[in-house]
Amino acid sequence: MAGAGVGAAVEWLASVAPDPDACRWEWERNPQGAALLPAGRRWDVLILPGELGCPTFDVLTRLIDRPGPVLSDFGNARMGFFVPPGTVTCRVGAGVRGAGRGTWAVVPYPGREAAGGVRRLIPPDGSGTLADATLLELAIDEAAAGRAESGGDGRGTAGRGC
């Protein structure tokens, strides 16, 4: 992501913080390059276990080029898909969690590689693009069906980051 896109992404993410200026200050000075942001205002985060998240990511990125921001921990044990607010109240399943209204999410600074435990597979573009909840649901179902058929661990190898 280049200059203007980074600025727009920073502004979009920081706009949900109780104090956007303090959020930007923290991002600039935090060696981990991450901030704790409230979910449920502009986005929720649907958190999948890696064995389901990686194949879901692979399916989703085959269906659409820009599905919205996606985060992962460095071991791909968990993946977070940014979805419209309210989505996490509608989607539950084994191992699937959500960060919605009243919760907080660790979000890396969009303009540099994160040094902490969270990385971006797809950074925010600043326009507010989020994963379409219905399309994500279909990708989760297809990934789960593929895992069941193959009997594998589901960790994707062909995707853009898993």
Side-chain angles (χ1 to χ4, degrees):
M1 183 187 309
V6 170
V10 167
E11 292 308 312
W12 180 73
L13 288 168
S15 72
V16 303
D19 183 343
D21 291 332
C23 175
R24 286 187 292 275
W25 186 90
E26 177 68 20
W27 258 332
E28 292 168 6
R29 286 154 186 82
N30 183 336
Q32 298 299 313
L36 196 58
L37 295 176
R41 290 185 58 200
R42 289 187 181 253
W43 40 261
D44 287 356
V45 182
L46 191 63
I47 304 163
L48 306 178
E51 62 272 4
L52 179 59
C54 281
T56 297
F57 179 79
D58 289 345
V59 171
L60 192 61
T61 55
R62 280 195 316 263
L63 296 173
I64 185 168
D65 184 49
R66 183 87 188 145
V70 180
L71 303 175
S72 178
D73 61 13
F74 279 100
N76 289 335
R78 289 178 305 275
M79 296 183 68
F81 296 82
F82 279 54
V83 292
T87 299
V88 299
T89 62
C90 303
R91 175 69 177 161
V92 294
V96 176
R97 297 180 299 144
R101 186 166 296 283
T103 63
W104 296 74
V106 175
V107 179
Y109 182 82
R112 64 177 115 88
E113 286 303 312
V118 178
R119 65 188 174 108
R120 295 168 306 282
L121 296 179
I122 300 178
D125 62 9
S127 72
T129 300
L130 300 168
D132 176 271
T134 302
L135 196 56
L136 181 58
E137 179 92 18
L138 293 171
I140 291 169
D141 291 345
E142 183 176 324
R147 285 184 58 230
E149 288 174 8
S150 71
D153 72 1
R155 293 195 185 269
T157 57
R160 298 180 351 193
C162 283

